[in-house]
Amino acid sequence: MTRLAGSSKLLRAMNASAALAHLLDAGGLTRADLRRLTELSTPTISEVLRRLTEAGLVTVVGYHSGRPGPNAEIYAANPDAAYAAAVSVRDIGTSGAPSVVAALADLTGTERARIERRVDFLHTDPKTALIDVVAELRETAGVAAEGIHHVQLGVAGSYDPRAETIRHVDVPGFARPGLVPEIAAALATRIGVDNDVNLAAVAERRRGVATDVDGFALLWLGQEGLGLAIDIGGTLLRGARGGAGEIGYMPLYAPDSTHRKVDLQDLVGGAAVLALGRDHGVPGRTPLEVVTAAATEPDRAGEFFPQLADRIAVGLAAVIAVLDPSLVVLAGPVAQAGGETLLAAVTTAVRRAAPLESTIAVTTIDDDAVLLGALDAGLTAVREALIASIRDNQA
Amino acid sequence: MTRLAGSSKLLRAMNASAALAHLLDAGGLTRADLRRLTELSTPTISEVLRRLTEAGLVTVVGYHSGRPGPNAEIYAANPDAAYAAAVSVRDIGTSGAPSVVAALADLTGTERARIERRVDFLHTDPKTALIDVVAELRETAGVAAEGIHHVQLGVAGSYDPRAETIRHVDVPGFARPGLVPEIAAALATRIGVDNDVNLAAVAERRRGVATDVDGFALLWLGQEGLGLAIDIGGTLLRGARGGAGEIGYMPLYAPDSTHRKVDLQDLVGGAAVLALGRDHGVPGRTPLEVVTAAATEPDRAGEFFPQLADRIAVGLAAVIAVLDPSLVVLAGPVAQAGGETLLAAVTTAVRRAAPLESTIAVTTIDDDAVLLGALDAGLTAVREALIASIRDNQA
DNA sequence: TAATTGTTAGCCAGATTGCCAATCACGTCG
DNA sequence: CGACGTGATTGGCAATCTGGCTAACAATTA
């Protein structure tokens, strides 16, 4: 139900933003391409491009030769018109992985800087740490402060956008109310916060196995916990308080109460994987090591993968029954270490347990999925803000 | 990302459709009201209304007196511009309820006809039965065949819109591929098919307890089966093959394999309710009778409701963990019979089991929720089609 | 030569502002 | 108590302005 109404000014703004949207999507387009895409006339396209070029949002990036007539100019969105920054924060935990990974991308999506830091948030204020990281990103890439239009934060927790507060975080200091607005004020940018698993799903949709799917669920098997992201037609399901996908806490039904109350975290969380490894004589001190060891020598791991798969299938069966996704993606360090062996085991286990058939796949993203997803999310935020600002301001 | 581009014709169409959208939503508006809502100038509003009136979509329904100046004309969408029909089909089963309930509503949403029929689909072709019902609706309301723009069908099953086929239906004859297109061709209307529980959720959103909620889950406790509808911001989640919410088939985790594989249907389905009633000495031959008896004399039912609630909570805990809805609505005959007693029991059971807190409520719709939801769904389809046709045809 | 690119000129559709007549409520005066 | 003036409001008309379109044209390259 479009309720947009207005005068010719609205029209001009709409046409400009439509053209910009196409340029952002396609990358490089000639006037003739835009004419076909927007169904506008040549003079109008010229006028729109003239205005967008004047505003610094669009530039000529090349010429299309080899055909009769003058070489057509190829227009593209100006990479330096706006930047998006992404910061992925995680608890250091037992692994030696850096606790802050950050990257900066220009409007076209090319990564211009990336840094990794170990930050001890017990002794460092998140606010100053994040501001410093973003400043360092800017220096590395040589970008002015005003250039960054959006900073996307990824944390292992949920974000309540109404209260502007991060909840269910383990990293010290991040749960403080008022933190996010303060950072936004200090950086003078819009700031977005999202769950790390959600952001991994964004990356999966843009560059992974879920590019052409109308909806999918991503099960994240991490070193400690597990998480679920739900993508419905490209938008993520967050739930009332950002708690959608917290299946780690999903209680499992016990027919008689002699069993103590167990949830899915007890079944497939890091500790459970470790214990399962011990039971089957698979070596390794961390869940990742255990799964890697089992995957490299599947014959010696015995029933390790089938049993792990059976447990994963318990959670996936519930997810599939509720959501009926066309694709289920296994991601996270444990899933990636398990690889094809784990995938095969989970596929058979789910086929046995779940009422509906869903394709199951392992992520194809080798890089830091959370960071890439944060970058993608920040980028789309920047693009949408640009398009909206054209529609509103140029009135 | 709006990519709409065009010339002044698009503008006119947009303004007309915006005005119509407001008129459909608000009911009766003066020119001044529309001026405020659309932010268009007086001459433009006049022109738009003139065109809409000429097209027969809008009429003057009254005059606004009691204020200085001439009595302002009150415009409203013409009720007779289009009609929507709704047909709810269910298996007769053990109850004596009619198997086909149908209604007809005009564009403003007032019900103009309703009929109920018992149809034996073992000996009657669904196609002819449905065509007859719609014809009867038309006669009762005195509406021409072309007046009906949309027929909404509600069935206990799922609809695959790509294959245009109904799946997982118990009612004989409805699973036949090609049935829906044939009915659409015979009636010469658009036809929509949806799951009955989904439609009940539509009604709940429009006239029930879920009017102001950003998303909710509706658990349907029927005479036989159970179902789940998921509303996210007003749109229903259907899943890849229309199988979202089929939690009846959700398998339950058994810690050891000595228990046979049980799913949620075994736990809270009609048969389970009957058995539970027997165990607690609650009289009744159908699940509805059992629950009604228990609700009228809660003291004599003992642990019936707490135990039933515990079982319901098993399913709801999974739903809440996956979706984090801000509201969970209990609906369907069994839930309505259980009333406040059941609600209280379920609330405490869920609070104990589920990781997140969700408000739980019982439906407030006394009428046939599925039928009303189908009517609402058909009506919005008609309205959107009207608005879209203005935007496209008046070019 | 033919096809293609991009510009300029004139035209047209549609929305806006400003102006005006008509209408009604309300207070005041005869 | 009734008639009348005042002010607010409605709705129409004319003039203006913005913006996109068609058509013609110059320029360029296979």
Side-chain angles (χ1 to χ4, degrees), chain A residues 47-119:
Chain A
E47 172 71 9
V48 164
L49 285 177
R50 198 183 56 75
R51 284 177 160 249
L52 286 175
T53 313
E54 265 177 21
L57 294 173
V58 155
T59 44
V60 178
V61 293
Y63 295 91
H64 195 74
S65 64
R67 309 210 305 152
N71 289 342
E73 291 171 326
I74 298 175
Y75 287 84
N78 180 8
D80 299 308
Y83 299 87
V87 184
S88 168
V89 179
R90 44 179 159 248
D91 207 355
I92 306 185
T94 49
S95 72
S99 48
V100 168
V101 188
L104 185 89
D106 65 28
L107 188 57
T108 55
T110 45
E111 201 175 308
R112 299 282 281 264
R114 185 189 292 210
I115 52 181
E116 302 190 347
R117 289 285 172 279
R118 299 203 62 177
V119 180

Side-chain angles (χ1 to χ4, degrees), chain A residues 54-371:
Chain A
E54 265 177 21
L57 294 173
V58 155
T59 44
V60 178
V61 293
Y63 295 91
H64 195 74
S65 64
R67 309 210 305 152
N71 289 342
E73 291 171 326
I74 298 175
Y75 287 84
N78 180 8
D80 299 308
Y83 299 87
V87 184
S88 168
V89 179
R90 44 179 159 248
D91 207 355
I92 306 185
T94 49
S95 72
S99 48
V100 168
V101 188
L104 185 89
D106 65 28
L107 188 57
T108 55
T110 45
E111 201 175 308
R112 299 282 281 264
R114 185 189 292 210
I115 52 181
E116 302 190 347
R117 289 285 172 279
R118 299 203 62 177
V119 180
D120 182 3
F121 284 110
L122 281 171
H123 303 100
T124 319
D125 184 43
K127 186 178 154 190
T128 56
L130 287 179
I131 294 173
D132 288 353
V133 166
V134 172
E136 207 176 327
L137 276 178
R138 287 200 294 102
E139 281 167 32
T140 317
V143 165
E146 314 85 57
I148 299 182
H149 285 212
H150 191 98
V151 176
Q152 180 69 38
L153 202 61
V155 289
S158 57
Y159 182 63
D160 183 339
R162 250 171 284 184
E164 295 190 307
T165 307
I166 308 173
R167 302 194 198 282
H168 313 110
V169 230
D170 284 337
V171 191
F174 279 80
R176 179 168 66 81
L179 174 69
V180 176
E182 283 172 26
I183 298 175
L187 292 173
T189 52
R190 293 171 174 276
I191 190 158
V193 187
D194 210 340
N195 176 266
D196 52 352
V197 180
N198 276 351
L199 293 174
V202 171
E204 205 68 49
R205 148 110 16 221
R206 300 261 306 194
R207 8 184 148 200
V209 286
T211 32
D212 297 321
V213 147
D214 49 286
F216 69 99
L218 181 138
L219 181 70
W220 181 268
L221 300 171
Q223 282 274 57
E224 285 114 40
L226 73 165
L228 183 80
I230 301 157
D231 171 300
I232 298 163
T235 50
L236 289 168
L237 184 65
R238 295 210 163 67
R241 288 159 296 272
E246 290 296 332
I247 54 164
Y249 303 109
M250 187 172 81
L252 299 174
Y253 171 67
D256 37 35
S257 47
T258 54
H259 300 86
R260 81 167 189 85
K261 213 169 142 186
V262 282
D263 57 25
L264 202 58
Q265 172 74 32
D266 300 325
L267 222 57
V268 288
V273 171
L274 272 182
L276 197 65
R278 263 200 312 277
D279 292 351
H280 291 84
V282 181
R285 282 165 306 127
T286 67
L288 185 55
E289 284 177 19
V290 169
V291 175
T292 310
T296 44
E297 292 187 86
D299 299 336
R300 290 181 55 186
E303 286 294 295
F304 174 79
F305 275 125
Q307 288 207 9
L308 180 60
D310 272 340
R311 295 173 171 201
I312 292 174
V314 172
L316 284 187
V319 172
I320 291 173
V322 173
L323 296 173
D324 182 25
S326 47
L327 174 71
V328 174
V329 178
L330 302 177
V334 169
Q336 267 180 310
E340 291 302 316
T341 322
L342 179 66
L343 175 62
V346 171
T347 305
T348 53
V350 168
R351 194 141 297 163
R352 205 163 51 228
L356 299 161
E357 286 214 357
S358 284
T359 315
I360 302 178
V362 177
T363 177
T364 51
I365 296 178
D366 286 329
D367 201 351
D368 187 325
V370 177
L371 183 68

Side-chain angles (χ1 to χ4, degrees), chain A residues 8-9 12 15 40-41 43-44 66 68-71:
Chain A
S8 1
K9 289 178 184 176
R12 162 154 295 188
N15 290 344
L40 293 170
S41 69
T44 308
N71 289 342

Side-chain angles (χ1 to χ4, degrees), chain B residues 77-101:
Chain B
N78 180 9
D80 299 308
Y83 299 87
V87 184
S88 167
V89 179
R90 46 180 158 242
D91 206 356
I92 306 183
T94 49
S95 72
S99 48
V100 169
V101 188

